[in-house]
């Protein structure tokens, strides 16, 4: 694999992983006062569109990364609605 | 432009735009208790790598979207460090 493609893979892992510490924090503290629901709704919708885009282009990395990110963002939307 | 490419464009606009309401909320409320610094640091680093990836591949949409997203995420990191 070319170095630039490895960098793309690291980028995908980082942006997907990034939501995990936020989910953990929100899950533990049960507080979402400072969190914007609009951000998570817009990002979720955007990532679902990236997922469809990845499916259309048969891009396994795009499908994997965006599917996991969409699930994590959906969990954040649920947590935000649960712990207002 | 093909429909699927328009969908990719909408996806890029949505994921980039999504950070704006969070920046606005944090800027207004001056409170970041519920926000994970790790999330914004990891996402910022990931998006900077996507930006370099986009520059390498001469992809104007990737460069534009990831540059704006990186700036917005950087603002969130600064706000998080300022309003602990």
């Amino acid at each position: 694999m070319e170095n630039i493609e490895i960098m793309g893979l690291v980028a995908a892992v980082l942006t997907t992983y990034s939501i995990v510490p936020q989910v953990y924090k929100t899950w533990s503290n049960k507080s979402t006062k400072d969190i914007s629901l609009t951000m998570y709704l817009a990002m979720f919708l955007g990532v679902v569109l990236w997922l469809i885009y990845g499916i259309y282009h048969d891009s396994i990395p795009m499908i994997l990364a965006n599917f996991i990110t969409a699930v994590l963002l959906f969990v954040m939307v649920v947590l935000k609605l649960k712990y207002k």
Side-chain angles (χ1 to χ4, degrees), chain A:
Chain A
M1 202 190 285
E2 276 188 76
N3 284 344
I4 191 72
E5 296 309 319
I6 293 169
M7 183 187 276
L9 208 65
V10 175
V13 169
L14 271 172
T15 47
T16 299
Y17 156 77
S18 68
I19 325 283
V20 174
Q22 181 66 68
V23 167
Y24 178 75
K25 182 170 195 142
T26 309
W27 184 277
S28 310
N29 296 358
K30 300 184 183 2
S31 171
T32 62
K33 184 178 63 67
D34 301 331
I35 284 169
S36 162
L37 177 62
T38 315
M39 164 175 163
Y40 285 93
L41 284 176
M43 201 180 270
F44 172 75
L45 192 59
V47 166
V48 167
L49 293 185
W50 277 132
L51 176 61
I52 297 168
Y53 187 91
I55 292 168
Y56 184 90
H57 285 288
D58 286 325
S59 166
I60 301 290
M62 279 198 85
I63 293 169
L64 262 181
N66 286 301
F67 177 75
I68 299 168
T69 308
V71 170
L72 289 167
L73 291 170
F74 184 76
V75 171
M76 277 306 297
V77 169
V78 171
L79 289 175
K80 173 66 186 174
L81 293 174
K82 193 173 174 196
Y83 306 122
K84 277 194 194 152

